[in-house]
Amino acid sequence: MEGFLIMTNFFGTVQQNQKIFELPGAPPDTIASISWSQSSTVLCTTGWDGEIRVWDISTGLNNPGVAITRDKPVFDSCFVDPTTIVTVGADAIVRTTNLTNKVDNVIGQHQLPIRNVVFNPTISSIVTSGWDKMINFWDGKTANKPVLSITSSERVYAMDCIDNQVAFGS
């Protein structure tokens, strides 16, 4: 099955005749995650095909403005700011990528694939969780060493943060 991405504006009153847009250049394989930038005009998808695709919706529904390929599936992404994303996946590496020049910076690594990543602006930390049962907090400056690690009793499959709180599901 070919992957596809459909976008619709659902704010305000939900109507039966909402416009739905299929974004061109969507992944040919399963989409693993979708994330919006804080500006709400930039959209990032990650996929099992190892592709990271970024669209700037304000410039129209064109092909992805940025496409990055990894060797293994990419499971999740988040924005640190409108031009920087963090990606994680089957290679167990935490990377930030500057979308302007496509330069990667390795922040750290888990022992097994990483399933989730979120940026928490309250504590200025990148938080990752994965199949190694670890939840790691990275400041983005101290490469390869988390500033805090929490061990879960099981693999972590879902996670989110707000303020000083982290919720995760095994």
Side-chain angles (χ1 to χ4, degrees):
M1 172 184 242
E2 184 174 315
F4 65 93
L5 180 64
I6 296 177
M7 188 182 85
T8 183
N9 183 353
F10 63 89
F11 295 103
T13 305
V14 176
Q15 301 171 6
Q16 284 189 340
N17 296 324
Q18 290 291 329
K19 290 183 181 178
I20 297 177
F21 304 96
E22 183 172 344
L23 296 179
D29 200 347
T30 304
I31 294 173
S33 74
I34 300 171
S35 57
W36 286 103
S37 73
Q38 295 88 335
S39 70
S40 296
T41 63
V42 182
L43 180 69
C44 179
T45 64
T46 64
W48 280 84
D49 61 353
E51 291 284 325
I52 301 159
R53 293 171 175 83
V54 180
W55 290 266
D56 185 345
I57 304 303
S58 68
T59 63
L61 300 175
N62 303 331
N63 284 322
V66 176
I68 301 165
T69 303
R70 303 274 191 245
D71 293 333
K72 294 187 177 184
V74 182
F75 296 145
D76 203 6
S77 70
C78 68
F79 284 85
V80 174
D81 59 51
T83 61
T84 308
I85 59 170
V86 184
T87 56
V88 297
D91 65 3
I93 297 173
V94 184
R95 289 183 184 90
T96 60
T97 303
N98 180 308
L99 297 174
T100 306
N101 58 20
K102 295 186 186 179
V103 172
D104 286 336
N105 181 28
V106 174
I107 298 298
Q109 191 166 355
H110 281 241
Q111 296 299 311
L112 292 171
I114 306 170
R115 176 58 191 96
N116 309 288
V117 62
V118 295
F119 176 70
N120 186 319
T122 303
I123 58 174
S124 296
S125 289
I126 297 164
V127 186
T128 58
S129 62
W131 297 345
D132 61 357
K133 303 178 184 179
M134 297 303 298
I135 301 160
N136 290 326
F137 295 74
W138 313 88
D139 67 6
K141 298 171 190 160
T142 312
N144 296 314
K145 185 175 181 183
V147 294
L148 174 67
S149 293
I150 300 169
T151 304
S152 170
S153 61
E154 295 294 331
R155 292 178 178 184
V156 179
Y157 294 101
M159 179 186 68
D160 202 1
C161 292
I162 189 167
D163 298 327
N164 294 322
Q165 301 177 67
V166 177
F168 63 93
S170 297

